[in-house]
């Protein structure tokens, strides 16, 4: 497939026909840029690959929960996979029909269950017997019934990064397949609960198809067994986790991701042939990962005895994946390097006071200078959503581009908002009214001093 979403034109990188250097001038750096064309393409090709199956595609919001992104998918017919009340609210605010929302997660609170019940969602993916009991209570108390899919832990190793594998016996997710079988065969019904399906999700960024096949086969066998035992199941939720390509040039990335997705879809078609069940898919990264970039500007180039550091204005607070998972993001200059330019290995680092604020070590890049723009590619998933204000750096803005147009879909956080969320207790608020008062720590202590001195118990 030809990637026209991100491409060099007239020597500069463009996203959906918008020049990124112009965007950087207008918006400032760092900023996230998502291609609406790429989002739509990703959704449509996944839907096309599943054509003919009774499938609901529930976009996993946690990968990227900007309203504009969710709305893009909702307009194309997507449902949503949510893992918190906040995500449920985001999905509903963006117009996702509630009958296409599944609520997953190992630690739902009673309040979250109520929110889901009141919204009338498609199903709760229940991950423990204790959760099932609480849901039964909560639903009964409200005089309603909760549609449930039991999330089974199929005990397969997804072969992905340890931190994002979720389907092994030692992982906190799901109910062991054996226990789920024994339980469901005996309990059959429960007040306030409608057992409708089985669910599985074995991890994220899966690049190998074998663990999927094993997990799905186990799930489907269990589905048949439980139906035969009289449980009125009618839905199988195959989760998400399809890996995308992070390496190579931008053209190759989209092609490789597409190929992985097609392999997955072909495997699914084979396994569910003749299965009497509606299907749910929960792709997150697949739909958004390759569709986003983080754009940053070089602040300084600094040489040490052994290496050259390129210090950029984005940091681990903006994009934590390299620090958190040793994840790889391709780094590209916005201004195309002339053909034949020699590359030199550099460390690309951010300004945060942590050594782990390093995006890449000894990465071969064309010569760079202060002011140059770079992009981290494939930063559409698990990127902005994990951003923080560490080092009191405001959250970066998000921009959606589409067919030559752009829109800021989330403003850069301003300093007043950031600081304004703090509150002073009344024993310190004097000092707040006089921020220039040099002596405020001592004064604060005086104000806070209790009438009776507190003696140490020891
Ligand atoms: C995170 C998650 C997903 C999405 O995973 P991706 O790797 O982004 O596709 C789907 N389902 C559940 C239950 C999840 O926790």
């Amino acid at each position: 497939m030809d990637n026209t979403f991100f491409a060099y034109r007239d020597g500069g990188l463009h996203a959906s026909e918008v020049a990124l250097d112009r965007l950087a001038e207008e918006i400032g750096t760092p900023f996230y840029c998502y291609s609406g064309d790429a989002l739509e393409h990703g959704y449509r090709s996944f839907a096309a690959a599943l054509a003919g199956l009774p499938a609901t595609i529930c976009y996993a919001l946690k990968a990227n929960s900007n309203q504009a992104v969710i709305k893009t998918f909702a307009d194309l017919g997507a449902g949503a996979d949510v893992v918190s009340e906040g995500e449920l609210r985001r999905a509903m605010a963006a117009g996702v029909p509630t009958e296409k929302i599944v609520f997953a997660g190992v630690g739902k609170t009673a309040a979250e269950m109520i929110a889901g019940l009141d919204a009338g969602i498609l199903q709760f993916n229940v991950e423990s017997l204790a959760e099932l009991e609480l849901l039964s209570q909560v639903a009964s108390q409200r005089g309603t019934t909760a549609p449930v899919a039991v999330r089974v832990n199929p005990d397969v190793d997804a072969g992905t990064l340890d931190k994002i594998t979720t389907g092994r016996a030692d992982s906190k997710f799901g109910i062991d397949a054996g226990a789920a079988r024994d339980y469901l065969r005996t309990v059959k019904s429960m007040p306030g609960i409608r057992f409708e399906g089985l669910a599985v999700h074995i991890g994220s960024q899966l690049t190998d198809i074998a663990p999927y096949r094993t997990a799905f086969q186990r799930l489907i066998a269990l589905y048949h067994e439980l139906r035969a035992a009289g449980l009125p199941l009618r839905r199988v939720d195959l989760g998400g986790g399809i890996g995308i390509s992070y390496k190579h040039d931008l053209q190759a990335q989209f092609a490789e991701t597409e190929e992985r997705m097609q392999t997955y879809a072909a495997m699914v078609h084979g396994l569910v042939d003749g299965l009497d069940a509606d299907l749910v898919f929960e792709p997150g990264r697949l739909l958004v990962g390759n569709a986003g970039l983080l754009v940053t500007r070089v602040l300084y180039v600094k040489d040490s005895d052994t290496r050259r550091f390129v210090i950029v204005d984005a940091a681990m607070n903006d994009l934590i994946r390299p620090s958190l998972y040793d994840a790889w993001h391709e780094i590209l200059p916005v201004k195309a390097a002339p053909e034949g330019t020699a590359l030199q290995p550099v460390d690309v680092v951010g300004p945060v006071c942590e050594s782990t604020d390093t995006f890449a070590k000894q990465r071969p890049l064309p010569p760079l200078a202060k002011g140059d723009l770079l992009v981290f590619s494939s930063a559409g998933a698990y990127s902005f959503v994990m951003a923080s204000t560490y080092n009191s750096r405001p959250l970066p803005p998000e921009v959606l581009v589409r067919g030559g147009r752009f829109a800021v879909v989330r403003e850069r956080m301003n300093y007043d908002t950031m600081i304004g969320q703090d509150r002073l207790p009344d024993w310190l608020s004097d000092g707040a009214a006089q921020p220039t008062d040099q002596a405020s720590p001592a004064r604060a202590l005086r104000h806070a001093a209790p009438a009776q001195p507190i003696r140490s118990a020891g």
Side-chain angles (χ1 to χ4, degrees):
M1 187 219 57
D2 199 30
N3 163 23
T4 51
F5 314 122
F6 303 112
Y8 288 97
R9 298 204 200 303
D10 309 322
L13 189 57
H14 286 58
S16 287
E17 318 294 327
V18 178
L20 289 173
D21 56 357
R22 270 201 38 227
L23 214 46
E25 287 300 328
E26 198 143 336
I27 286 154
T29 50
F31 68 94
Y32 279 98
C33 176
Y34 310 128
S35 160
D37 303 293
L39 295 174
E40 177 167 344
H41 167 82
Y43 183 86
R44 284 191 191 283
S45 50
F46 189 53
L50 299 176
L53 300 177
T56 304
I57 299 172
C58 294
Y59 166 59
L61 255 64
K62 74 177 192 286
N64 184 327
S65 53
N66 187 286
Q67 286 288 291
V69 172
I70 305 169
K71 178 81 160 62
T72 299
F73 294 135
D75 284 355
L76 294 167
D81 168 51
V82 304
V83 294
S84 68
E85 181 170 347
E87 286 193 352
L88 175 62
R89 286 172 182 252
R90 280 186 182 274
M92 289 167 67
V96 178
T98 52
E99 69 275 10
K100 288 188 186 174
I101 296 179
V102 304
F103 200 143
V106 289
K108 299 177 201 77
T109 64
E112 288 178 321
M113 291 172 178
I114 290 170
L117 288 168
D118 288 355
I121 62 168
L122 176 68
Q123 73 187 24
F124 291 88
N125 289 2
V126 168
E127 305 218 11
S128 66
L129 300 183
E131 182 193 340
L132 195 56
E133 273 159 32
L134 180 59
L135 184 57
S136 165
Q137 264 173 36
V138 169
S140 302
Q141 268 163 20
R142 298 182 80 75
T144 182
T145 313
V148 162
V150 172
R151 177 166 172 187
V152 172
N153 183 329
D155 192 16
V156 296
D157 192 332
T160 180
L161 299 171
D162 233 30
K163 286 174 181 156
I164 52 177
T165 195
T166 60
R168 283 197 313 235
D170 62 359
S171 120
K172 70 176 178 181
F173 299 98
I175 303 176
D176 292 345
R181 172 196 299 116
D182 295 346
Y183 186 80
L184 290 170
R185 285 189 74 125
T186 46
V187 63
K188 294 226 172 91
S189 74
M190 214 173 163
I193 299 289
R194 220 164 49 235
F195 290 112
E196 295 194 339
L198 298 178
V200 74
H201 172 73
I202 58 172
S204 199
Q205 186 54 18
L206 270 73
T207 52
D208 186 5
I209 210 74
Y212 268 133
R213 185 178 287 112
T214 309
F216 293 173
Q217 280 168 338
R218 286 181 188 167
L219 191 76
I220 290 167
L222 184 60
Y223 179 82
H224 287 308
E225 186 184 334
L226 292 171
R227 288 246 297 200
L231 216 63
L233 302 179
R234 55 198 179 90
R235 214 156 38 241
V236 169
D237 179 341
L238 297 178
I242 302 158
I244 64 168
S245 169
Y246 279 95
K247 301 201 180 185
H248 315 305
D249 63 55
L250 295 169
Q251 303 279 336
Q253 251 175 32
F254 276 84
E256 192 175 279
T257 297
E258 173 94 11
E259 195 182 307
R260 281 185 186 156
M261 184 276 286
Q262 293 292 353
T263 307
Y264 168 93
M267 180 265 304
V268 168
H269 275 281
L271 287 181
V272 303
D273 192 31
L275 182 70
D276 178 25
D278 287 338
L279 301 174
V280 173
F281 295 87
E282 303 170 349
R285 188 191 313 264
L286 173 72
L287 300 186
V288 292
N290 290 147
L293 307 171
L294 174 61
V295 183
T296 187
R297 202 178 279 283
V298 174
L299 294 174
Y300 303 103
V301 176
K302 158 169 130 170
D303 288 314
S304 78
D305 284 350
T306 56
R307 53 184 64 198
R308 170 164 289 182
F309 294 97
V310 173
I311 302 166
V312 297
D313 66 2
M316 63 184 284
N317 74 293
D318 303 300
L319 176 64
I320 202 176
R321 298 187 69 259
S323 316
L324 190 61
Y325 307 130
D326 288 324
W328 169 290
H329 286 270
E330 195 64 44
I331 301 174
L332 298 159
V334 167
K335 188 160 174 274
E339 192 96 20
T341 302
L343 305 183
Q344 49 185 217
V346 295
D347 285 12
V348 180
V349 303
V352 159
C353 309
E354 301 263 357
S355 293
T356 185
D357 186 22
T358 296
F359 291 109
K361 285 191 170 156
Q362 297 301 288
R363 183 74 64 92
L365 288 174
L368 291 166
K370 181 179 165 63
D372 286 350
L373 291 166
L374 294 174
V375 301
F376 297 96
S377 83
S378 295
Y382 305 106
S383 296
F384 177 84
V385 285
M386 288 192 183
S388 76
T389 57
Y390 185 42
N391 277 211
S392 287
R393 293 167 47 88
L395 295 177
E398 296 174 284
V399 179
L400 188 65
V401 292
R402 168 134 217 181
R405 298 165 65 192
F406 78 88
V408 176
V409 294
R410 183 184 170 108
E411 302 271 352
R412 187 183 307 281
M413 179 185 260
N414 70 43
Y415 287 109
D416 289 342
T417 303
M418 187 171 72
I419 301 170
Q421 292 189 326
D422 294 2
R423 293 285 175 272
L424 287 173
D426 47 8
W427 65 86
L428 289 178
S429 42
D430 253 352
Q434 300 161 27
T436 52
D437 183 351
Q438 303 286 318
S440 57
R443 282 191 46 210
L445 281 177
R446 269 204 311 281
H447 281 251
Q452 295 292 315
I454 299 169
R455 272 177 234 281
S456 131

mmCIF file with all atom_site columns, all heavy atoms in Angstrom, residues 443-454:
data_model
loop_
_atom_site.group_PDB
_atom_site.id
_atom_site.type_symbol
_atom_site.label_atom_id
_atom_site.label_alt_id
_atom_site.label_comp_id
_atom_site.label_asym_id
_atom_site.label_entity_id
_atom_site.label_seq_id
_atom_site.pdbx_PDB_ins_code
_atom_site.Cartn_x
_atom_site.Cartn_y
_atom_site.Cartn_z
_atom_site.occupancy
_atom_site.B_iso_or_equiv
_atom_site.pdbx_formal_charge
_atom_site.auth_seq_id
_atom_site.auth_comp_id
_atom_site.auth_asym_id
_atom_site.auth_atom_id
_atom_site.pdbx_PDB_model_num
ATOM 1  N N   . ARG A 1 443 ? 7.200  31.502 58.339 1.00 0.00 ? 443 ARG A N   1
ATOM 2  C CA  . ARG A 1 443 ? 5.895  32.029 58.726 1.00 0.00 ? 443 ARG A CA  1
ATOM 3  C C   . ARG A 1 443 ? 4.846  30.932 58.700 1.00 0.00 ? 443 ARG A C   1
ATOM 4  O O   . ARG A 1 443 ? 4.019  30.830 59.585 1.00 0.00 ? 443 ARG A O   1
ATOM 5  C CB  . ARG A 1 443 ? 5.460  33.132 57.765 1.00 0.00 ? 443 ARG A CB  1
ATOM 6  C CG  . ARG A 1 443 ? 6.152  34.457 58.043 1.00 0.00 ? 443 ARG A CG  1
ATOM 7  C CD  . ARG A 1 443 ? 5.468  35.549 57.247 1.00 0.00 ? 443 ARG A CD  1
ATOM 8  N NE  . ARG A 1 443 ? 4.016  35.454 57.376 1.00 0.00 ? 443 ARG A NE  1
ATOM 9  C CZ  . ARG A 1 443 ? 3.160  35.823 56.443 1.00 0.00 ? 443 ARG A CZ  1
ATOM 10 N NH1 . ARG A 1 443 ? 3.597  36.300 55.307 1.00 0.00 ? 443 ARG A NH1 1
ATOM 11 N NH2 . ARG A 1 443 ? 1.881  35.740 56.645 1.00 0.00 ? 443 ARG A NH2 1
ATOM 12 N N   . ALA A 1 444 ? 4.929  30.102 57.670 1.00 0.00 ? 444 ALA A N   1
ATOM 13 C CA  . ALA A 1 444 ? 3.945  29.032 57.552 1.00 0.00 ? 444 ALA A CA  1
ATOM 14 C C   . ALA A 1 444 ? 4.016  28.131 58.773 1.00 0.00 ? 444 ALA A C   1
ATOM 15 O O   . ALA A 1 444 ? 2.996  27.714 59.311 1.00 0.00 ? 444 ALA A O   1
ATOM 16 C CB  . ALA A 1 444 ? 4.188  28.225 56.281 1.00 0.00 ? 444 ALA A CB  1
ATOM 17 N N   . LEU A 1 445 ? 5.220  27.842 59.200 1.00 0.00 ? 445 LEU A N   1
ATOM 18 C CA  . LEU A 1 445 ? 5.376  26.985 60.373 1.00 0.00 ? 445 LEU A CA  1
ATOM 19 C C   . LEU A 1 445 ? 4.743  27.631 61.597 1.00 0.00 ? 445 LEU A C   1
ATOM 20 O O   . LEU A 1 445 ? 4.068  26.997 62.375 1.00 0.00 ? 445 LEU A O   1
ATOM 21 C CB  . LEU A 1 445 ? 6.860  26.706 60.642 1.00 0.00 ? 445 LEU A CB  1
ATOM 22 C CG  . LEU A 1 445 ? 7.471  25.629 59.747 1.00 0.00 ? 445 LEU A CG  1
ATOM 23 C CD1 . LEU A 1 445 ? 8.955  25.470 60.044 1.00 0.00 ? 445 LEU A CD1 1
ATOM 24 C CD2 . LEU A 1 445 ? 6.745  24.302 59.965 1.00 0.00 ? 445 LEU A CD2 1
ATOM 25 N N   . ARG A 1 446 ? 4.972  28.945 61.725 1.00 0.00 ? 446 ARG A N   1
ATOM 26 C CA  . ARG A 1 446 ? 4.378  29.641 62.868 1.00 0.00 ? 446 ARG A CA  1
ATOM 27 C C   . ARG A 1 446 ? 2.863  29.531 62.825 1.00 0.00 ? 446 ARG A C   1
ATOM 28 O O   . ARG A 1 446 ? 2.224  29.205 63.800 1.00 0.00 ? 446 ARG A O   1
ATOM 29 C CB  . ARG A 1 446 ? 4.785  31.124 62.847 1.00 0.00 ? 446 ARG A CB  1
ATOM 30 C CG  . ARG A 1 446 ? 6.062  31.417 63.634 1.00 0.00 ? 446 ARG A CG  1
ATOM 31 C CD  . ARG A 1 446 ? 6.120  32.870 64.083 1.00 0.00 ? 446 ARG A CD  1
ATOM 32 N NE  . ARG A 1 446 ? 5.832  33.839 63.037 1.00 0.00 ? 446 ARG A NE  1
ATOM 33 C CZ  . ARG A 1 446 ? 6.713  34.223 62.104 1.00 0.00 ? 446 ARG A CZ  1
ATOM 34 N NH1 . ARG A 1 446 ? 7.909  33.685 62.068 1.00 0.00 ? 446 ARG A NH1 1
ATOM 35 N NH2 . ARG A 1 446 ? 6.398  35.117 61.216 1.00 0.00 ? 446 ARG A NH2 1
ATOM 36 N N   . HIS A 1 447 ? 2.321  29.762 61.610 1.00 0.00 ? 447 HIS A N   1
ATOM 37 C CA  . HIS A 1 447 ? 0.857  29.711 61.483 1.00 0.00 ? 447 HIS A CA  1
ATOM 38 C C   . HIS A 1 447 ? 0.333  28.320 61.786 1.00 0.00 ? 447 HIS A C   1
ATOM 39 O O   . HIS A 1 447 ? -0.740 28.161 62.308 1.00 0.00 ? 447 HIS A O   1
ATOM 40 C CB  . HIS A 1 447 ? 0.434  30.096 60.057 1.00 0.00 ? 447 HIS A CB  1
ATOM 41 C CG  . HIS A 1 447 ? 0.457  31.571 59.847 1.00 0.00 ? 447 HIS A CG  1
ATOM 42 N ND1 . HIS A 1 447 ? -0.698 32.303 59.712 1.00 0.00 ? 447 HIS A ND1 1
ATOM 43 C CD2 . HIS A 1 447 ? 1.480  32.436 59.774 1.00 0.00 ? 447 HIS A CD2 1
ATOM 44 C CE1 . HIS A 1 447 ? -0.374 33.585 59.560 1.00 0.00 ? 447 HIS A CE1 1
ATOM 45 N NE2 . HIS A 1 447 ? 0.933  33.684 59.592 1.00 0.00 ? 447 HIS A NE2 1
ATOM 46 N N   . ALA A 1 448 ? 1.125  27.331 61.406 1.00 0.00 ? 448 ALA A N   1
ATOM 47 C CA  . ALA A 1 448 ? 0.636  25.962 61.526 1.00 0.00 ? 448 ALA A CA  1
ATOM 48 C C   . ALA A 1 448 ? 0.860  25.405 62.928 1.00 0.00 ? 448 ALA A C   1
ATOM 49 O O   . ALA A 1 448 ? 0.332  24.360 63.270 1.00 0.00 ? 448 ALA A O   1
ATOM 50 C CB  . ALA A 1 448 ? 1.340  25.063 60.517 1.00 0.00 ? 448 ALA A CB  1
ATOM 51 N N   . ALA A 1 449 ? 1.650  26.109 63.713 1.00 0.00 ? 449 ALA A N   1
ATOM 52 C CA  . ALA A 1 449 ? 2.008  25.549 65.023 1.00 0.00 ? 449 ALA A CA  1
ATOM 53 C C   . ALA A 1 449 ? 0.773  25.355 65.877 1.00 0.00 ? 449 ALA A C   1
ATOM 54 O O   . ALA A 1 449 ? -0.040 26.261 66.032 1.00 0.00 ? 449 ALA A O   1
ATOM 55 C CB  . ALA A 1 449 ? 2.981  26.484 65.728 1.00 0.00 ? 449 ALA A CB  1
ATOM 56 N N   . PRO A 1 450 ? 0.573  24.145 66.383 1.00 0.00 ? 450 PRO A N   1
ATOM 57 C CA  . PRO A 1 450 ? -0.577 23.904 67.243 1.00 0.00 ? 450 PRO A CA  1
ATOM 58 C C   . PRO A 1 450 ? -0.442 24.657 68.567 1.00 0.00 ? 450 PRO A C   1
ATOM 59 O O   . PRO A 1 450 ? 0.666  25.007 68.968 1.00 0.00 ? 450 PRO A O   1
ATOM 60 C CB  . PRO A 1 450 ? -0.546 22.392 67.465 1.00 0.00 ? 450 PRO A CB  1
ATOM 61 C CG  . PRO A 1 450 ? 0.833  21.958 67.141 1.00 0.00 ? 450 PRO A CG  1
ATOM 62 C CD  . PRO A 1 450 ? 1.434  22.972 66.233 1.00 0.00 ? 450 PRO A CD  1
ATOM 63 N N   . ALA A 1 451 ? -1.581 24.914 69.205 1.00 0.00 ? 451 ALA A N   1
ATOM 64 C CA  . ALA A 1 451 ? -1.557 25.677 70.454 1.00 0.00 ? 451 ALA A CA  1
ATOM 65 C C   . ALA A 1 451 ? -0.712 24.961 71.497 1.00 0.00 ? 451 ALA A C   1
ATOM 66 O O   . ALA A 1 451 ? 0.054  25.569 72.223 1.00 0.00 ? 451 ALA A O   1
ATOM 67 C CB  . ALA A 1 451 ? -2.979 25.873 70.965 1.00 0.00 ? 451 ALA A CB  1
ATOM 68 N N   . GLN A 1 452 ? -0.859 23.647 71.561 1.00 0.00 ? 452 GLN A N   1
ATOM 69 C CA  . GLN A 1 452 ? -0.053 22.861 72.486 1.00 0.00 ? 452 GLN A CA  1
ATOM 70 C C   . GLN A 1 452 ? 1.092  22.217 71.706 1.00 0.00 ? 452 GLN A C   1
ATOM 71 O O   . GLN A 1 452 ? 0.858  21.591 70.699 1.00 0.00 ? 452 GLN A O   1
ATOM 72 C CB  . GLN A 1 452 ? -0.917 21.730 73.099 1.00 0.00 ? 452 GLN A CB  1
ATOM 73 C CG  . GLN A 1 452 ? -2.058 22.213 73.972 1.00 0.00 ? 452 GLN A CG  1
ATOM 74 C CD  . GLN A 1 452 ? -1.542 22.849 75.250 1.00 0.00 ? 452 GLN A CD  1
ATOM 75 O OE1 . GLN A 1 452 ? -0.641 22.304 75.892 1.00 0.00 ? 452 GLN A OE1 1
ATOM 76 N NE2 . GLN A 1 452 ? -2.084 23.988 75.629 1.00 0.00 ? 452 GLN A NE2 1
ATOM 77 N N   . PRO A 1 453 ? 2.299  22.366 72.173 1.00 0.00 ? 453 PRO A N   1
ATOM 78 C CA  . PRO A 1 453 ? 3.381  21.692 71.484 1.00 0.00 ? 453 PRO A CA  1
ATOM 79 C C   . PRO A 1 453 ? 3.149  20.178 71.502 1.00 0.00 ? 453 PRO A C   1
ATOM 80 O O   . PRO A 1 453 ? 2.651  19.632 72.489 1.00 0.00 ? 453 PRO A O   1
ATOM 81 C CB  . PRO A 1 453 ? 4.627  22.047 72.294 1.00 0.00 ? 453 PRO A CB  1
ATOM 82 C CG  . PRO A 1 453 ? 4.192  22.896 73.431 1.00 0.00 ? 453 PRO A CG  1
ATOM 83 C CD  . PRO A 1 453 ? 2.730  23.085 73.381 1.00 0.00 ? 453 PRO A CD  1
ATOM 84 N N   . ILE A 1 454 ? 3.452  19.569 70.366 1.00 0.00 ? 454 ILE A N   1
ATOM 85 C CA  . ILE A 1 454 ? 3.273  18.125 70.304 1.00 0.00 ? 454 ILE A CA  1
ATOM 86 C C   . ILE A 1 454 ? 4.557  17.457 70.765 1.00 0.00 ? 454 ILE A C   1
ATOM 87 O O   . ILE A 1 454 ? 5.639  17.767 70.290 1.00 0.00 ? 454 ILE A O   1
ATOM 88 C CB  . ILE A 1 454 ? 2.950  17.674 68.857 1.00 0.00 ? 454 ILE A CB  1
ATOM 89 C CG1 . ILE A 1 454 ? 1.656  18.345 68.413 1.00 0.00 ? 454 ILE A CG1 1
ATOM 90 C CG2 . ILE A 1 454 ? 2.881  16.176 68.744 1.00 0.00 ? 454 ILE A CG2 1
ATOM 91 C CD1 . ILE A 1 454 ? 1.377  18.204 66.937 1.00 0.00 ? 454 ILE A CD1 1
#
